[in-house]
Amino acid sequence: MPKPTILVTRRLPPAVEARLRRDYDAKLNQDDRIYTSDELAALAADADGMLICTSEKITPALVEKLPDRLKVIATFSVGYEHIDIAACEARGIVAANAPGTMTEATADLAMLLILGAARRSYEAQQLVRQGQWKGWHATMLLGIDLHGKRLGIYGMGRIGQAVARRARGFGMEIHYHNRSRLPHDLEAQATYHATLEDLLRVSDILSINAPSTPDTRNALNAERIALLPDGAVVVNTARGDMIDDVALIGALKSGKLRAAGLDVFAGEPNLHKDFLALPNVYLLPHIGSATIETRDRMGYAALDNIDAALQGRPAPNRLW
């Protein structure tokens, strides 16, 4: 029997592509360029499934062009805002994501951003690399301690809870806002705030870990930034569209915010150019899940969904 055909929209880790080649007739994207919607439709014409990334927008118009033989679209991500779930359901196409695969790596990176922003790491690197470091002195590049600071976590799902576990090791006081309060054992003595506004008022450092939805986009706007304590630090490893860039940049320039640590951006990779000129922003290129182990897990989870859907079993992480 011929193997099912899977369209793979981006270059994936070697171990994941090896499994694809073993189990499927895999149409791989060796050039790793982003396909247009028309190209996706054409390439999927003989496909039984698609393995996509967040760079591909699965719109209702694209779904309508997909062949009847296509049974599953699995995304190499936890977030699925790039997939129109209702359109997939209407066509009977299984849509699935990969939750839980990147929790620890993203939480590690959130702590890197917190430390990088709080301790002025970008400025320190520049000083050394540009040959401007003239020796130690007592007032050089003074940052702030993490110990004793109040960490506000916006979104206390898997990643938010993992950030909290790490932050406790630094002696931080944990506060959070979530759509619902966690059970006592998962809360682990963190303080719950029923509204985002209440959380912001006590957040010396704010970590954004909530999903991007119509309700959370631009959640951190000028009005809400004004509620943060003076000199607060903002860190984002979730999605760039959750922050109003103009408001954040204004607060960083004015000194309302001490610093920011950002791994995600609205319109990435075309981030707002003013971020590049700010010394008090620690910038990373969306590498929250970028470890070998994590990216392999993400690919395997996507393939587990595809395997199940094409074998007539429920996909482990089906979205409808």
Side-chain angles (χ1 to χ4, degrees):
M1 292 289 292
K3 295 178 180 179
T5 298
I6 304 299
L7 172 61
V8 185
T9 61
R10 299 297 301 271
R11 188 73 184 266
L12 298 180
V16 178
E17 291 193 347
R19 177 171 157 182
L20 274 157
R21 290 190 184 96
R22 183 194 70 191
D23 296 340
Y24 296 103
D25 178 7
K27 300 174 70 171
L28 302 176
N29 182 354
Q30 299 295 348
D31 295 331
D32 201 31
R33 68 181 182 85
I34 298 176
Y35 295 135
T36 67
S37 181
D38 287 342
E39 287 175 318
L40 286 171
L43 289 165
D46 61 348
D48 299 288
M50 296 172 64
L51 200 168
I52 68 167
C53 295
T54 54
S55 48
E56 286 71 59
K57 309 306 177 188
I58 307 302
T59 63
L62 174 58
V63 171
E64 279 302 308
K65 297 176 183 177
L66 297 176
D68 290 339
R69 66 182 282 177
L70 194 136
K71 302 302 182 187
V72 58
I73 298 174
T75 184
F76 183 82
S77 64
V78 175
Y80 52 90
E81 66 277 4
H82 55 297
I83 304 173
D84 192 298
I85 304 301
C88 291
E89 183 176 8
R91 284 289 312 274
I93 298 171
V94 173
N97 68 334
T101 54
M102 60 180 69
T103 299
E104 303 303 330
T106 306
D108 286 348
L109 198 86
M111 289 307 303
L112 173 63
L113 289 172
I114 290 170
L115 286 162
R119 295 299 300 270
R120 301 176 65 177
S121 296
Y122 169 71
E123 294 170 88
Q125 280 270 320
Q126 292 294 95
L127 196 69
V128 174
R129 290 182 181 276
Q130 294 176 3
Q132 297 176 4
W133 182 34
K134 305 305 180 185
W136 183 91
H137 59 85
T139 59
M140 180 178 67
L141 292 174
L142 298 180
I144 57 171
D145 288 340
L146 298 189
H147 186 273
K149 294 296 188 298
R150 298 167 297 179
L151 174 64
I153 298 177
Y154 175 31
M156 199 67 151
R158 292 184 181 92
I159 296 173
Q161 291 171 47
V163 173
R165 290 195 299 272
R166 287 156 174 74
R168 288 186 184 96
F170 284 86
M172 303 186 78
E173 181 183 305
I174 310 301
H175 296 253
Y176 76 98
H177 169 66
N178 206 43
R179 285 174 292 184
S180 58
R181 186 167 186 169
L182 296 180
H184 179 73
D185 58 329
L186 293 180
E187 197 171 62
Q189 298 183 324
T191 300
Y192 172 67
H193 297 267
T195 68
L196 176 57
E197 287 76 10
D198 286 345
L199 174 71
L200 296 176
R201 293 184 179 98
V202 299
S203 297
D204 300 312
I205 296 173
L206 176 70
S207 178
I208 298 176
N209 302 106
S212 174
T213 69
D215 292 333
T216 63
R217 285 173 195 144
N218 280 328
L220 195 64
N221 54 26
E223 292 77 13
R224 286 179 171 143
I225 289 173
L227 299 176
L228 287 163
D230 291 345
V233 174
V234 170
V235 163
N236 189 8
T237 56
R239 287 289 186 265
D241 63 8
M242 298 180 69
I243 295 178
D244 180 331
D245 284 349
V246 173
L248 181 64
I249 289 165
L252 289 164
K253 287 181 175 179
S254 72
K256 167 63 181 177
L257 296 180
R258 180 182 302 276
L262 306 174
D263 184 48
V264 289
F265 307 89
E268 60 184 53
N270 301 311
L271 68 158
H272 196 297
K273 61 180 178 58
D274 286 3
F275 282 128
L276 302 177
L278 291 173
N280 55 340
V281 186
Y282 191 77
L283 303 170
L284 294 176
H286 200 153
I287 58 170
S289 63
T291 69
I292 295 167
E293 300 88 344
T294 297
R295 293 284 169 85
D296 283 350
R297 279 194 299 271
M298 293 164 67
Y300 297 155
L303 284 171
D304 289 346
N305 286 318
I306 290 172
D307 292 348
L310 294 184
Q311 293 167 17
R313 297 182 285 108
N317 299 300
R318 184 170 177 155
L319 294 168
W320 62 266

